[in-house]
Amino acid sequence: LLPLITTPIHCKFTIGPRKTVSIARGMKTTSSTNASSSSSSSSSAVADDEKESKLETKTDGDEYGDENRRTTTTPKRLKEDARWRKWIGMPSKNCLESMPIICAHCNQKLTARDVPYGVDVSRYSSRRRSTNVEDENDQEEEESEWESMLRRKFVQLSRDAETDAFLLRSSRRPRLVNARLAQACTRLREKEGKSLTEANAILGRGKMFVLSREQARVLVGRSLMHRHRGGDEGGEGDDDDDNAVLDAGAYLDIGSGEGEVASKLGEYFGTVVATETSPAMVKRCAESHKDWTVLETGTIEDVWKKFKMQNAREEEEGTSTKSEAAKKKVRELLDEEEGTETTERQHQGRGGGGGGKFDCIGMFNVLDRCDRPFTMLSHVRNLLKPKTGLFVLAVVLPFRPFVELDDGTRRPPSEKLDVATPTAAWEYGCRDLYENVLKPSGFEIEKISRAPYVSEGDHLAGAYVLDDVVFVLRRSADV
């Protein structure tokens, strides 16, 4: 018999409203409300082996309860692809559901069905951290307000074809190629002192995925169209907006890497500005997105000035790779802002809450790698347009911040955020991020969602995954 697992949970993936996969010290247990008695475990195990190829029926509903509950059939205990398929990079049609996906926090082996998208709101009403009655009542009221907002603002996403295609990306390469790339990455880090980010950029491996284009449209696209057409704040666009783009304005992506994640939002705007600290990543991003302005910088408070200077220098030297249409949009954007420079400088001072230059700012999985996250958020707020601007922020939970230096070493950030401990559930980290970090920094929630942060796999696993919370925020009236 398997021993009872009583060790602390490091991370927890929710599989529908009735099943969870708990991960603790490399061990996995599956709990279900319809689980059979432990006294019949021996006989049921034999039966399961005999019925391995059959399908099991599981109940699935929305993330909050029994509404819209539906019954689906899913393959049970599917076998992984044959070894020869992995060696030649030819995955089978149904390999995704059995392909090994590794949790990058605890090295637990998962499958695509374990990738989390839902939220368990009942966590807030079932746990109290304080023993003082008065404090407990205050906490209940606070958690009730947060729970109510989460119910209203949460947007349920799900795996789609684009997500599945990314999960299979490394499996479509021969295993030997994946192994050689992993070995080369290790050599660059150990012998040349490169950071993991720089080594991956040099080799073109380890690409990242957060949102598909459809998911980006649901979370951000329609809200952008509605707000820029004069709609009420927080409203949604009409069905006619589904395939529309602004094709104007400016989008800033902070820590864009190669730009694959940024491209999902950048396509809505006429001008895209991307920042990155890794020289190799900057080169790859500029080569992949020739109409963008890619800046090699680790600071953003003067990003608009750097944007103007780089475009002016490219025009003067004739080194710009932008198309004529992209150059025209940059000139129109700069001409539009020229008349407001004096007013803008008045708002750029400390605590001034500037007028803002960008229609949308994206920061995907950067906050936990930032040396001064509170300062960064302050700069983001000043750069964002106050009435129509949206800030899309993705953060890995559990929250485990560190700063990666150029030589690959790590150190704690200078500014510490008051976020739930690394062993806390996703829901608590999500609440603490907003209540203790984003709200004091002058932001309000427009939408909130949960999505996997997927890294391209290698010869050991099809993909690596972390758990993201995705906030869609706007500037609040007062800080």
Side-chain angles (χ1 to χ4, degrees), residues 101-126:
I101 299 174
I102 303 300
C103 172
H105 270 314
C106 61
N107 292 327
Q108 175 63 38
K109 183 178 177 181
L110 309 171
T111 65
R113 283 183 290 172
D114 301 335
V115 174
Y117 284 97
V119 60
D120 184 4
V121 182
S122 64
R123 288 186 186 275
Y124 302 115
S125 58
S126 62

Side-chain angles (χ1 to χ4, degrees), residues 77-369:
R77 301 175 68 177
L78 292 175
K79 294 182 179 180
E80 292 185 29
D81 268 354
R83 189 173 299 177
W84 67 267
R85 286 187 173 274
K86 297 180 180 180
W87 277 105
I88 67 174
M90 186 183 294
S92 64
K93 182 178 180 181
N94 300 319
C95 81
L96 183 61
E97 298 303 328
S98 62
M99 182 183 72
I101 299 174
I102 303 300
C103 172
H105 270 314
C106 61
N107 292 327
Q108 175 63 38
K109 183 178 177 181
L110 309 171
T111 65
R113 283 183 290 172
D114 301 335
V115 174
Y117 284 97
V119 60
D120 184 4
V121 182
S122 64
R123 288 186 186 275
Y124 302 115
S125 58
S126 62
R127 175 180 171 184
R128 294 293 179 265
R129 293 174 295 180
S130 175
T131 57
N132 183 281
V133 176
E134 183 177 352
D135 292 343
E136 184 175 341
N137 291 335
D138 292 340
Q139 186 177 347
E140 286 181 359
E141 181 179 353
E142 177 185 348
E143 292 185 342
S144 177
E145 292 176 0
W146 166 253
E147 181 179 344
S148 175
M149 180 168 63
L150 187 60
R151 289 182 183 275
R152 290 183 287 107
K153 302 292 187 178
F154 188 83
V155 178
Q156 177 73 47
L157 301 177
S158 60
R159 271 173 49 208
D160 57 15
E162 188 177 345
T163 306
D164 288 349
F166 187 88
L167 288 169
L168 287 171
R169 179 181 286 191
S170 67
S171 298
R172 292 195 169 101
R173 289 195 300 262
R175 186 169 186 174
L176 183 60
V177 173
N178 286 327
R180 291 292 176 85
L181 286 172
Q183 293 171 357
C185 181
T186 300
R187 286 196 298 269
L188 285 172
R189 299 182 67 188
E190 293 181 351
K191 295 185 177 181
E192 300 186 26
K194 300 292 186 182
S195 66
L196 178 59
T197 301
E198 188 76 0
N200 280 336
I202 292 172
L203 298 171
R205 69 186 291 272
K207 291 177 172 56
M208 304 294 183
F209 182 95
V210 180
L211 297 173
S212 68
R213 279 179 167 77
E214 173 62 18
Q215 292 166 349
R217 183 192 67 81
V218 170
L219 277 179
V220 185
R222 297 184 67 181
S223 293
L224 280 171
M225 298 305 303
H226 184 69
R227 291 163 72 89
H228 282 268
R229 290 177 179 178
D232 296 334
E233 291 189 0
E236 287 289 338
D238 300 327
D239 291 339
D240 294 339
D241 292 339
D242 284 359
N243 298 315
V245 294
L246 294 176
D247 201 31
Y251 170 68
L252 169 66
D253 194 89
I254 302 169
S256 62
E258 294 187 29
E260 286 201 37
V261 179
S263 64
K264 312 297 174 59
L265 298 180
E267 64 185 18
Y268 286 93
F269 300 92
T271 301
V272 176
V273 182
T275 71
E276 176 57 51
T277 59
S278 166
M281 283 292 186
V282 169
K283 181 180 178 181
R284 282 191 173 273
C285 186
E287 290 173 349
S288 302
H289 307 279
K290 296 185 182 299
D291 285 345
W292 293 9
T293 299
V294 185
L295 305 174
E296 184 181 336
T297 179
T299 60
I300 64 167
E301 61 267 27
D302 57 349
V303 69
W304 186 260
K305 180 181 178 180
K306 292 177 180 178
F307 163 67
K308 292 171 60 178
M309 291 177 60
Q310 179 159 315
N311 278 279
R313 183 173 62 254
E314 289 175 351
E315 286 289 334
E316 182 180 348
E317 298 174 354
T319 58
S320 175
T321 60
K322 295 181 178 68
S323 64
E324 289 301 320
K327 291 179 182 178
K328 181 180 179 181
K329 290 174 183 176
V330 169
R331 288 193 294 268
E332 291 175 350
L333 182 66
L334 293 176
D335 291 341
E336 180 183 344
E337 294 295 327
E338 188 67 28
T340 61
E341 282 295 320
T342 302
T343 304
E344 194 63 30
R345 281 194 292 270
Q346 296 174 356
H347 290 282
Q348 293 264 337
R350 186 174 181 180
K357 299 288 188 181
F358 293 95
D359 300 271
C360 185
I361 298 177
M363 192 160 72
F364 293 89
N365 303 302
V366 174
L367 197 68
D368 58 344
R369 301 293 177 261

